[in-house]
Amino acid sequence: MLQVKYARKMSNQSATPATPLRVRPVPAFADNYIWLIEAPGRPGSVVAVDPGEAGPVETELDLTGSQLAAILLTHHHPDHIGGVTRLLERGSVPVIGPDDGRIPVRTRTARDGERCELPELGLAFDILAVPGHTLSHIAFWGHGALFCGDTLFSAGCGRMFEGTPVQMNASLSRLKNLPPDTAMYCGHEYTAANLKFALTVEPGNRAALDYQEKVRSLRDAGAPTLPSRMALERQVNPFLRCDEPAVRDAASARAGRRVDEAAEVFGVLRAWKDQFR
Ligand SMILES: [Zn+2]
C-alpha cells in the first residue's frame, strides 16, 4: 500500500516544490470535472480528485495506460465521491478526505493545517478547512495548485448548503490570500453563468468583461475554462470582492439597506445569486 504521511505545518509558507503539476480534466456528469494529477515521482501514475463517477476515469486510465495511485476528496457530495467504490475494484489505493461520516470510502483523514505527503508519488498538499458549501469541506493546496471542490468557482462560489455567510466568507478569504499565481482547479464548469452574475453585480468591471470574451471562445472551442488563476479571481469574482466599494454598493442596492461588513455583503450576494437566472 502506498505510503501517506502527515506533517504538522510549521509555517504559512508551502514548502512543496514549485514544479508545475500536470493536471488533466476528466469531464463527468453535466458539468463536473474530475482532475487527474500526474505523479511527478512515478511516471504513469495519477491521483484522481473528486471522482464522482468511475466510468470517465476508467476510460481515461485505459486510454493513457495510467495507473490510479491515490484519490483525494474535497467533500461528501455524491457527484464528488460516487465513483470511488468502483475505482477501488481496480486496486486498493489511499482515499484521502475530510473527517466526515458521510464519506465511508475514506481511508485516510486529512485535517486543517496538516501537510499530506505522498512521498513515492512526489506529491505533497497542505490541507485547508473551507467550511460553507458543506461543513467539513477541505481544499488541497500544493505545487502552486489548489483543488477546492465546490467552495470557489471561477467567477463564483458554491452554494452555502451547510455553513453561514461568516464561515463561507472566511473560507473564501483564505483561498483568495493564496499566492496570486495559484492555479485554481474547481469542481464544475460554471464560469460563463457565473460571469453573467458577476457583470450584473459589477457591470463596469473591465477585467470581467475581458474574461467573458475569453471564456466564450474557450467554450465555443469545447475547452475548459479551468484552471483559473487567483490573481484573475481577485479581479473578476464578486464573492472575493466583498470589500470593494462597487460590490458593497450593489449589495446594498439589492438589500434595500446599507451593508458594509464583508460577511454581510457576501450573504446578500450569495442569496442574490441563488435567485439569479
Ligand atoms: Zn458539492
Side-chain angles (χ1 to χ4, degrees):
M1 187 69 161
L2 194 77
Q3 193 188 5
V4 184
K5 292 202 304 189
Y6 289 101
R8 270 275 143 199
K9 274 178 68 185
M10 299 310 286
S11 80
N12 288 331
Q13 290 298 309
S14 177
T16 53
T19 325
L21 289 181
R22 292 168 60 100
V23 183
R24 307 199 285 275
V26 176
F29 304 112
D31 47 37
N32 283 68
Y33 289 123
I34 299 163
W35 298 106
L36 292 188
I37 305 167
E38 293 184 23
R42 190 193 280 175
S45 285
V46 296
V47 173
V49 182
D50 285 353
E53 57 177 341
V57 175
E58 291 174 320
T59 303
E60 178 71 14
L61 294 174
D62 292 342
L63 274 174
T64 57
S66 310
Q67 293 289 322
L68 184 65
I71 295 173
L72 308 182
L73 302 175
T74 63
H75 68 294
H76 75 277
H77 285 157
D79 63 318
H80 293 253
I81 71 170
V84 173
T85 303
R86 202 169 105 194
L87 287 172
L88 292 178
E89 287 169 12
R90 296 170 74 98
S92 180
V93 300
V95 181
I96 301 159
D99 187 9
D100 191 318
R102 296 171 295 188
I103 311 180
V105 289
R106 177 181 90 261
T107 63
R108 306 283 180 141
T109 300
R111 292 189 172 82
D112 184 57
E114 284 175 339
R115 174 168 295 127
C116 170
E117 297 177 359
L118 297 155
E120 293 148 76
L121 303 181
L123 288 169
F125 293 99
D126 290 332
I127 308 301
L128 307 173
V130 284
H133 177 67
T134 70
L135 283 178
S136 63
H137 201 305
I138 58 171
F140 296 85
W141 176 53
H143 310 266
L146 173 74
F147 297 89
C148 54
D150 291 354
T151 296
L152 177 63
F153 295 130
S154 185
C157 72
R159 279 180 188 261
M160 209 167 52
F161 285 122
E162 297 180 0
T164 65
V166 169
Q167 276 177 321
M168 184 122 185
N169 185 59
S171 295
L172 292 172
S173 296
R174 237 184 140 180
L175 300 183
K176 159 173 123 169
N177 289 317
L178 293 175
D181 60 351
T182 299
M184 192 274 281
Y185 295 87
C186 57
H188 290 271
E189 180 61 67
Y190 288 159
T191 315
N194 285 341
L195 274 170
K196 216 172 124 191
F197 177 72
L199 284 162
T200 302
V201 176
E202 286 188 279
N205 183 326
R206 189 69 248 170
L209 287 163
D210 292 346
Y211 188 37
Q212 192 176 42
E213 284 306 305
K214 186 183 162 197
V215 164
R216 230 176 245 148
S217 53
L218 283 169
R219 295 310 291 153
D220 285 350
T225 61
L226 302 163
S228 179
R229 296 273 162 189
M230 205 55 73
L232 175 66
E233 293 306 314
R234 292 179 67 127
Q235 288 184 296
V236 304
N237 192 325
F239 296 100
L240 302 186
R241 297 169 58 77
C242 293
D243 44 10
E244 289 289 324
V247 175
R248 282 205 304 257
D249 290 348
S252 299
R254 172 74 184 182
R257 66 192 164 82
R258 192 68 218 161
V259 283
D260 281 314
E261 204 266 311
E264 207 184 349
V265 172
F266 173 81
V268 171
L269 289 185
R270 190 54 263 180
W272 183 0
K273 176 70 165 63
D274 289 345
Q275 306 290 319
F276 187 77
R277 291 289 173 270

